[in-house]
Amino acid sequence: SFTMNMYLFVYDLMQFCGHSWIFTNMIIRFMTFGKDSLADTFHSIGLVMRLCQMLSVLEILHILIGIDKSRLLPRFLQITERIIVLFVVINSQEEVQGKYVVCVLFFLWNLLDVVRYTYNMLSRMGIYYLPLTWLNFSLCIPLYPLSVLAKGFAICISLPYFESFGTYSIKLPFPFTFSIYFPYVLKMYLLVLFTGMCFIIQNLFSERMAHLGTGNIKKKRS
């Protein structure tokens, strides 16, 4: 309906503005301060980044109620990956926040999202530009695996801090006889992360074929 389409357009616009601000801020800071800006990335843009990622949870709801026709599982995996790495790994360990990998991760996320939300906004209005469509469904194929590698690296460098500080590790009281050692949980999650990457990449290729197949290109040109 028109109301739902307008709501989705406003949602995409809000996300576009947030990610564009982050992306522009990162570029300006790097051009101004050089490498010194990399260590301060989280402190300068972390709040807006967290707000954008919290807002992205609505995309799961959009699919569940049927106003977004995207596939649920790939989108769910992509969103939860970011939530876990951003809020559980990076936000909880101040020592990790100053690492260069955080800047790399934020750059990849925002580059992908600026393109994706621009494409989404225009498509809500029935506007399709072939270069933008190609970029939206092609750029994610090389950049998503790079972002997964950056997530995995961020988790690996956080493990010594989780081990030292005992963050999120829980020792259950009597009569329970086991404890939850969070570094082990993160190591198991690494397996889930890279397994999910294979599934999501396959989905990205299928989406690209569906939107950029020869027949679809001819239709959009006409």
Side-chain angles (χ1 to χ4, degrees):
S1 66
F2 175 80
T3 303
M4 287 296 98
N5 201 52
M6 183 58 66
Y7 161 75
L8 290 174
F9 177 83
V10 172
Y11 168 81
D12 292 330
L13 178 61
M14 291 174 61
Q15 287 281 37
F16 170 79
C17 291
H19 288 289
S20 295
W21 181 88
I22 296 171
F23 191 68
T24 305
N25 187 286
M26 290 181 66
I27 293 175
I28 293 175
R29 283 175 54 80
F30 182 76
M31 293 176 64
T32 305
F33 303 107
K35 291 184 179 180
D36 293 337
S37 67
L38 302 182
D40 197 38
T41 297
F42 184 84
H43 296 286
S44 61
I45 64 175
L47 176 60
V48 181
M49 192 71 202
R50 280 172 284 180
L51 290 174
C52 288
Q53 295 309 316
M54 288 175 63
L55 193 61
S56 69
V57 177
L58 288 174
E59 295 180 28
I60 299 175
L61 179 62
H62 296 164
I63 299 173
L64 288 174
I65 64 178
I67 61 175
D68 188 341
K69 302 304 179 183
S70 302
R71 295 180 62 189
L72 176 61
L73 185 57
R75 196 74 199 112
F76 175 81
L77 290 174
Q78 288 176 297
I79 291 173
T80 52
E81 285 172 8
R82 293 190 182 190
I83 294 293
I84 291 171
V85 172
L86 179 59
F87 287 92
V88 177
V89 176
I90 299 175
N91 191 61
S92 66
Q93 299 296 337
E94 188 174 352
E95 291 76 7
V96 179
Q97 296 169 10
K99 304 295 185 182
Y100 288 171
V101 68
V102 175
C103 181
V104 173
L105 196 54
F106 284 8
F107 180 84
L108 293 172
W109 285 354
N110 286 282
L111 177 57
L112 287 169
D113 284 340
V114 167
V115 173
R116 184 164 71 90
Y117 289 114
T118 302
Y119 172 82
N120 287 347
M121 281 192 300
L122 293 177
S123 65
R124 307 290 181 203
M125 299 184 292
I127 301 173
Y128 296 94
Y129 291 110
L130 184 56
L132 180 61
T133 302
W134 183 90
L135 192 64
N136 181 62
F137 291 102
S138 301
L139 188 65
C140 55
I141 292 175
L143 293 192
Y144 173 72
L146 289 178
S147 72
V148 172
L149 290 175
K151 292 171 196 172
F153 186 70
I155 292 174
C156 289
I157 64 175
S158 72
L159 289 175
Y161 303 109
F162 280 105
E163 292 172 353
S164 300
F165 303 135
T167 310
Y168 301 133
S169 294
I170 302 172
K171 187 174 183 179
L172 299 176
F174 184 83
F176 302 101
T177 58
F178 67 92
S179 59
I180 299 174
Y181 188 55
F182 196 69
Y184 289 162
V185 176
L186 286 179
K187 289 176 183 178
M188 288 188 291
Y189 180 69
L190 282 173
L191 296 176
V192 177
L193 185 65
F194 285 100
T195 303
M197 179 185 71
C198 299
F199 170 73
I200 292 174
I201 290 176
Q202 183 180 9
N203 182 72
L204 293 175
F205 273 107
S206 64
E207 284 187 343
R208 187 179 188 278
M209 181 61 65
H211 288 83
L212 295 177
T214 305
N216 289 319
I217 291 176
K218 289 180 179 178
K219 287 179 182 178
K220 289 177 181 178
R221 282 179 174 173
S222 61

